[in-house]
Amino acid sequence: MNQEKYWSLLAPGTHLPRLWLVLSQEHLLIGWENISRIRATVDFLSLSFECEHGIVQIDSPTSLQELFENLQVERVWKIDGTKLKIRLLQQEE
């Protein structure tokens, strides 16, 4: 099964200090130290995390389990939100 990925991974042993998030209106660089509360639904069709910009909500018709697993080990360097349904929600103060 060759499923198109909407995120890019780093080679093993490589680490970048920030995650690049492409949204329809802007590009964000998110420091790994600012990413917290990563959550996914049981079926991995929805994933969310908190960062300095707010809450990032990602929804997909296909499983995001691989993305979830690679966020855990900080191997994702870019998520293309123009190809996924991504919303940036403001955190409640």
Side-chain angles (χ1 to χ4, degrees), residues 10-65:
L10 294 168
T14 306
H15 186 267
L16 294 175
R18 290 175 204 75
L19 167 66
W20 179 2
L21 182 62
V22 180
L23 301 174
S24 60
Q25 300 296 317
E26 62 186 339
H27 294 258
L28 302 175
L29 289 176
I30 303 168
W32 282 109
E33 69 277 0
N34 296 313
I35 295 175
S36 64
R37 299 184 184 194
I38 301 172
R39 301 170 63 150
T41 56
V42 173
D43 57 9
F44 288 100
L45 296 180
S46 183
L47 184 148
S48 67
F49 60 86
E50 293 181 13
C51 68
E52 67 266 32
H53 300 285
I55 300 170
V56 176
Q57 176 71 45
I58 305 172
D59 296 307
S60 174
T62 59
S63 177
L64 296 170
Q65 183 173 352

Side-chain angles (χ1 to χ4, degrees), residues 7 9 32 38-40 44 47 63-76:
W7 56 87
L9 301 178
W32 282 109
I38 301 172
R39 301 170 63 150
F44 288 100
L47 184 148
S63 177
L64 296 170
Q65 183 173 352
E66 183 183 346
L67 176 59
F68 183 84
E69 291 169 353
N70 283 287
L71 285 170
Q72 176 185 14
V73 294
E74 298 180 358
R75 286 201 47 220
V76 180

